[in-house]
Amino acid sequence: MTTIGDRVREARLAAGLSQTALAGNAFSPSYISLIEAGHREPTDAALGVLAERLGTTLEFLKHGEDGPNEARTRLELDYARLDLASGDAAGAVQRIDALDLTVVTPVLRVEALTTLARAHELLGELETAITLLEPLLTETQARPDHLRAAVLTTALVGCYLEAGDLHRAVEVGERTLAELDSADLVGTDEHLRLASTVLWAYVERGDLLYATHRAAELVRLAESLGTPRGRGSVYWNAALVAEQRRDYELAQRYTERALALLSEGEPDRDLPRLRVNYAWLLLRSDPADPRAALQQIDTAEPGLNAVGSALDVARLQVERSRAHLMLGDEAAAEADARAALAGLGDSPRLEAATAHIALGDVLDARGDHPGATAAFQWGADMLGMMAATRHSAGVWRDLGDRYLRRGDVDAAARAFDRALREAGFQPSVPTGAPRETWSLGG
């Protein structure tokens, strides 16, 4: 059981204050020393002054986590986390929004708002999640609390990645990585997870050569310093870099290592997402192994349904559609592709374009060529509304392959040209037609 003196001392050290600095003009340093040693019981008025200087609450200094506001908020936060674990992100938002976070400690407030941001992310409300995380990160870095800042930054970088703001993702991530380096916290789980997430931002931005170099550095660092979870994060993202280089054999080896390491820890959405990524690799290996891919997807599905976002579930459904199509089960393949589209809605997302292409493949296989053409055009229209990334370039390439297979050479040429442009290759000779006037399938 901690005492008032213990809590004052811990809060003072966390704030980076000496006893003299905490005393200020209101108290003597010896009075602070007596409180911390348990030889003096401060009045509520004195505790109020100390709480304000320490960035905490009078209630916490007096009662610790057993104070009524603190205990009630922690209980509601635990229930909100259970809501997230059961897939009820909307319930978690409602529960946390009802809390009065002005009467609890800053640490608990950060926990609650971080959980709220996670719930909004799972609901696809990325802008709201970012609006919550940005000021939280600024507050945490000001204390400074480097490890908590790394956790917040990882969440923030992930949101910017999903929103397509790759430059901001790199900027925010690199700034916190530099702070971790200065604080001699390189190689911690928090550092490795953040560095791995930033690595993917470089890949998405098209800096593949630099990402390859950074991936090799991170693998060496993780193998010498990392815990199983930290190493698992590094291997996962190193596998993604290898995928982009079309080195599927290396990507598969890294993914298998990551699966083995992450399976040792507490279950969360990382492990099922990694299984879906492994299924993606199995479907693109030579030869493809759709049955093994389906096994990974079936194992991942319960976890993603419980704690994954709508995007996570849609990615699973698209890969399952492809696996079923390879096995000749066109009905199941179509059902999965349409389920992915229903879950994603009408917003222009890369995942929606990919799902339309998957549906087009199924309709083509069933002989519904007009339906396939419409699905491919929908995919092209979706892609046309989004910012260029290396990933979108890959989807344009996939679309071009479909048009070429169907004998539509003009549409294939336009799609391949768009893929090159989005990968950063601009034409060296004027084409004579403004880019925005081009239409696939027209």
Side-chain angles (χ1 to χ4, degrees):
M1 295 291 292
T2 61
T3 65
I4 290 176
D6 294 331
R7 290 189 287 274
V8 169
R9 182 176 62 256
E10 290 168 4
R12 176 178 62 78
L13 294 174
L17 298 175
S18 66
Q19 289 181 340
T20 300
L22 176 57
N25 296 326
F27 312 105
S28 67
S30 61
Y31 179 66
I32 302 299
S33 179
L34 288 169
I35 292 173
E36 292 186 358
H39 299 316
R40 184 66 58 87
E41 183 82 15
T43 65
D44 283 357
L47 279 178
V49 174
L50 294 176
E52 184 176 355
R53 292 181 178 177
L54 292 169
T56 186
T57 64
L58 184 156
E59 179 188 286
F60 181 76
L61 291 181
K62 194 169 184 177
H63 302 289
E65 294 183 0
D66 295 327
N69 290 322
E70 200 82 3
R72 187 184 309 112
T73 302
R74 284 193 178 279
L75 180 62
E76 285 299 306
L77 184 55
D78 286 341
Y79 278 126
R81 287 169 174 156
L82 285 173
D83 287 337
L84 289 181
S86 63
D88 186 7
V93 169
Q94 185 176 12
R95 195 180 292 276
I96 297 174
D97 279 343
L99 295 174
D100 181 0
L101 298 179
T102 64
V103 297
V104 297
T105 56
V107 170
L108 184 53
R109 175 178 167 273
V110 169
E111 287 183 29
L113 292 178
T114 304
T115 305
L116 180 60
R118 173 85 179 102
H120 281 295
E121 180 203 346
L122 289 174
L123 291 170
E125 298 164 356
L126 296 173
E127 185 176 344
T128 303
I130 289 168
T131 300
L132 287 165
L133 291 170
E134 281 280 11
L136 282 182
L137 178 59
T138 301
E139 292 172 22
T140 304
Q141 288 173 324
R143 288 193 189 106
D145 184 346
H146 295 296
L147 294 180
R148 192 177 296 276
V151 173
L152 287 168
T153 305
T154 301
L156 189 55
V157 170
C159 286
Y160 278 124
L161 271 168
E162 290 218 4
D165 192 343
L166 305 178
H167 293 288
R168 181 60 178 163
V170 169
E171 178 187 17
V172 171
E174 289 290 9
R175 185 177 65 213
T176 300
L177 286 172
E179 291 171 358
L180 291 171
D181 192 2
S182 299
D184 199 24
L185 292 169
V186 170
T188 59
D189 273 8
E190 293 82 359
H191 168 266
L192 292 174
R193 285 172 66 83
L194 174 57
S196 298
T197 307
V198 174
L199 182 67
W200 183 241
Y202 279 113
V203 172
E204 283 287 276
R205 204 170 71 171
D207 300 329
L208 190 55
L209 183 61
Y210 181 64
T212 302
H213 167 70
R214 282 281 289 267
E217 284 187 339
L218 278 175
V219 167
R220 286 194 294 270
L221 183 64
E223 288 175 343
S224 62
L225 297 175
T227 65
R229 184 160 193 80
R231 285 156 53 208
S233 297
V234 169
Y235 282 130
W236 182 0
N237 284 277
L240 296 175
V241 175
E243 281 177 21
Q244 291 297 306
R245 293 168 48 213
R246 300 293 192 267
D247 189 345
Y248 295 137
E249 183 178 346
L250 178 61
Q252 191 165 330
R253 287 205 304 271
Y254 278 149
T255 302
E256 288 166 353
R257 290 185 199 176
L259 275 172
L261 290 163
L262 293 179
S263 296
E264 297 176 12
E266 291 294 320
D268 62 12
R269 76 166 177 164
D270 282 350
L271 187 57
R273 289 171 75 193
L274 181 56
R275 290 193 184 281
V276 173
N277 196 68
Y278 191 31
W280 187 97
L281 281 170
L282 291 168
L283 292 175
R284 288 157 182 80
S285 59
D286 188 14
D289 193 344
R291 295 190 186 280
L294 282 176
Q295 288 176 351
Q296 292 296 327
I297 288 169
D298 289 343
T299 304
E301 187 171 24
L304 281 189
N305 283 338
V307 297
S309 67
L311 293 179
D312 291 329
V313 174
R315 289 167 186 149
L316 179 147
Q317 290 165 331
V318 167
E319 294 311 313
R320 186 163 58 195
S321 172
R322 288 173 170 153
H324 281 308
L325 187 59
M326 286 184 183
L327 293 170
D329 190 345
E330 295 165 1
E334 182 174 351
D336 276 316
R338 292 194 184 279
L341 288 169
L344 290 168
D346 296 327
S347 298
R349 294 184 183 277
L350 195 60
E351 290 78 12
T354 303
H356 278 294
I357 293 172
L359 177 61
D361 286 342
V362 177
L363 296 177
D364 229 9
R366 302 189 83 164
D368 182 358
H369 302 305
T373 298
F376 291 146
Q377 187 62 54
W378 266 105
D381 292 342
M382 285 277 184
L383 286 170
M385 290 186 278
M386 290 179 287
T389 66
R390 189 176 185 87
H391 197 171
S392 67
V395 179
W396 276 111
R397 164 64 193 270
D398 289 344
L399 190 57
D401 287 340
R402 270 67 173 181
Y403 281 120
L404 192 61
R405 185 184 64 203
R406 303 178 77 236
D408 192 341
V409 177
D410 288 342
R414 295 186 186 103
F416 290 145
D417 181 82
R418 187 66 176 264
L420 287 169
R421 288 170 178 271
E422 301 214 354
F425 295 94
Q426 297 300 320
S428 58
V429 178
T431 63
R435 180 181 177 185
E436 60 269 18
T437 65
W438 298 357
S439 172
L440 292 178

